[in-house]
Amino acid sequence: MDAVQVVKSSSPPSHEGIHIVRAAIRLLAIFVVFPGTLLIWLMMPTNTYRQIWLPQIRLKASSSTYLGAEGGTILVYTFPILFIAVLGCVYLHLGKKLNNHELKSSSSSSSGTKKNRFAVWKQPMLVKGPLGIVSGIELAFFVMFITLLVWSLSTYLHNKFKNITTQSAAKHHEQVWESKLDSAALVLGLAGIVCLAFLFFPVARGSSVLALFGLSSEGSIKYHIWLGHLVLAFFTAHGLCYIIYWAATEQISQMVIWDKVGVSNVAGELALLSGLFMWATAIPRIRRKMFELFFYTHYLYILFMFFFILHVGIAYACIALPSFYLFLVDRYLRFLQSRTSTRLIFARVLPCETLELNLAKTPGNTLAG
């Protein structure tokens, strides 16, 4: 009887602890790690970062047994994003343990107010325009990205151009406009890397990063399109400026040089060609009429990223690799999920020329017939 009474008097487990942990994870990711990463991105074009911060980071990282020479770059650019992704996985895993009934019963009036405040950011803020329907969260990230891009371009150009004088150009046997063209070409490439760093986040459908920030892949795919345009526009301008510079300074032979150390020009040209093929097939008219051409041509992103890494080296590649790595993980997981087979019961063509498939339900899967 005592045992029975204990069982009856025991209350259902509370999920208050899970709510606290999830709130702490979101606060840590959004208000600590993300602002720190954003600060690094804002400081990256400045002389303070290149002359003071980065040498100290590399010095401390190179002394580590595990990080090595490029450890500082990996630590600054790659680790924060992957750490946010891990936090997002834990956040989503804990969220699956909470059903709607338990969420309502465990939420107090104060916590409900906080959720409503966060939900406001998910409401549409813009409904007309080139980006379509834009929520408050998307608008905030859009403004931050445009600010970062404009800041990076202007700061890079200012720092490069202020050191170019008639005397400095004469030391390299160049005119002032040629030296400025050389610097502008480099800055355009750096701006393209900034855009490339965010290119693969929207297309990682199962990304924990998007879910942690209240975004979805379906709603963010339009930003992948615009980022793709920006990436290839900057990289194309980057390549054209260097070709003009080499032609003006009688160094056109640089186009066929593949340096084993430093920047490989041939690898950059191959990466750009791969990107231009993808860009051409992404034109709306071509994409709609020849979707298979668009779809299969987009697999050139493998060559694009491969030659991009060979072109810039691992140090600059680490800036753009985190989102690409998360995209590859997502692609691999979706590949494993697609290997799940099921049995086809019957198929028929309806009078409206629609194919109806009736599939057997397998344990653990929900399939629509």
Side-chain angles (χ1 to χ4, degrees):
M1 291 295 294
D2 294 338
V4 174
Q5 290 178 356
V6 170
V7 172
K8 288 183 178 181
S9 62
S10 61
S11 60
S14 173
H15 293 84
E16 189 66 27
I18 297 180
H19 284 289
I20 295 175
V21 173
R22 295 185 79 220
I25 290 175
R26 174 165 271 177
L27 289 174
L28 176 62
I30 297 178
F31 295 103
V32 179
V33 183
F34 177 70
T37 305
L38 189 60
L39 176 63
I40 293 295
W41 278 93
L42 290 173
M43 292 298 297
M44 188 168 60
T46 63
N47 292 327
T48 302
Y49 177 79
R50 292 198 306 272
Q51 298 174 4
I52 301 176
W53 289 20
L54 188 59
Q56 292 181 357
I57 293 173
R58 287 179 174 175
L59 179 62
K60 293 180 180 180
S62 61
S63 60
S64 173
T65 306
Y66 303 100
L67 295 178
E70 301 297 339
T73 307
I74 297 174
L75 185 65
V76 170
Y77 298 115
T78 307
F79 176 76
I81 303 300
L82 299 184
F83 182 61
I84 291 177
V86 172
L87 290 178
C89 291
V90 178
Y91 179 84
L92 295 178
H93 175 71
L94 294 176
K96 290 182 179 180
K97 295 184 177 181
L98 303 174
N99 55 43
N100 294 332
H101 175 71
E102 291 169 339
L103 282 172
K104 292 179 181 179
S105 62
S106 63
S107 298
S108 60
S109 59
S110 60
S111 62
T113 304
K114 291 181 180 179
K115 288 183 180 180
N116 291 333
R117 289 176 181 176
F118 184 76
V120 170
W121 287 88
K122 295 184 179 181
Q123 299 298 322
M125 295 292 181
L126 299 176
V127 294
K128 293 182 180 180
L131 295 178
I133 300 176
V134 179
S135 67
I137 300 175
E138 294 174 5
L139 183 61
F141 276 99
F142 178 78
V143 172
M144 285 189 290
F145 172 76
I146 295 299
T147 304
L148 174 64
L149 184 60
V150 173
W151 162 258
S152 299
L153 269 173
S154 58
T155 306
Y156 275 129
L157 286 174
H158 173 73
N159 291 335
K160 292 289 185 181
F161 283 3
K162 73 177 183 180
N163 296 324
I164 298 176
T165 61
T166 306
Q167 292 77 12
S168 63
K171 290 181 180 179
H172 298 89
H173 306 286
E174 297 174 354
Q175 299 181 24
V176 174
W177 73 269
E178 293 173 342
S179 297
K180 289 187 175 181
L181 181 62
D182 182 21
S183 299
L186 176 61
V187 170
L188 289 171
L190 294 174
I193 294 177
V194 172
C195 299
L196 182 62
F198 299 92
L199 179 64
F200 292 96
F201 282 119
V203 289
R205 299 179 188 176
S207 173
S208 60
V209 176
L210 294 178
L212 185 62
F213 285 93
L215 300 171
S216 65
S217 177
E218 295 78 9
S220 304
I221 194 66
K222 54 194 172 188
Y223 302 108
H224 170 76
I225 298 174
W226 284 98
L227 284 170
H229 291 319
L230 287 175
V231 167
L232 290 172
F234 279 123
F235 283 166
T236 302
H238 165 75
L240 290 176
C241 287
Y242 265 120
I243 291 175
I244 296 173
Y245 168 74
W246 290 331
T249 56
E250 299 181 355
Q251 302 180 65
I252 201 66
S253 60
Q254 290 285 336
M255 292 187 63
V256 294
I257 292 179
W258 189 311
D259 288 335
K260 295 182 179 179
V261 179
V263 176
S264 172
N265 297 331
V266 176
E269 294 160 8
L270 294 175
L272 181 58
L273 287 176
S274 302
L276 290 177
F277 276 115
M278 289 189 289
W279 201 12
T281 57
I283 297 174
R285 181 174 297 181
I286 297 178
R287 186 182 71 244
R288 294 190 184 102
K289 291 186 176 181
M290 295 178 287
F291 182 79
E292 288 188 353
L293 177 64
F294 158 78
F295 179 79
Y296 289 111
T297 304
H298 254 57
Y299 279 100
L300 288 174
Y301 76 86
I302 301 174
L303 294 179
F304 175 81
M305 291 302 299
F306 175 73
F307 287 117
F308 166 77
I309 295 173
L310 294 180
H311 174 59
V312 301
I314 192 62
Y316 280 103
C318 283
I319 301 175
L321 281 182
S323 64
F324 182 63
Y325 173 75
L326 294 177
F327 169 73
L328 291 181
V329 172
D330 177 74
R331 287 285 297 178
Y332 179 69
L333 293 178
R334 284 192 282 133
F335 169 74
L336 294 180
Q337 293 174 351
S338 66
R339 292 176 61 87
T340 303
S341 59
T342 186
R343 183 167 54 90
L344 177 64
I345 298 177
F346 71 86
R348 63 174 179 173
V349 179
L350 300 177
C352 59
E353 298 184 355
T354 301
L355 179 63
E356 178 186 357
L357 300 178
N358 195 315
L359 305 174
K361 293 184 178 180
T362 57
N365 294 323
T366 302
L367 299 175

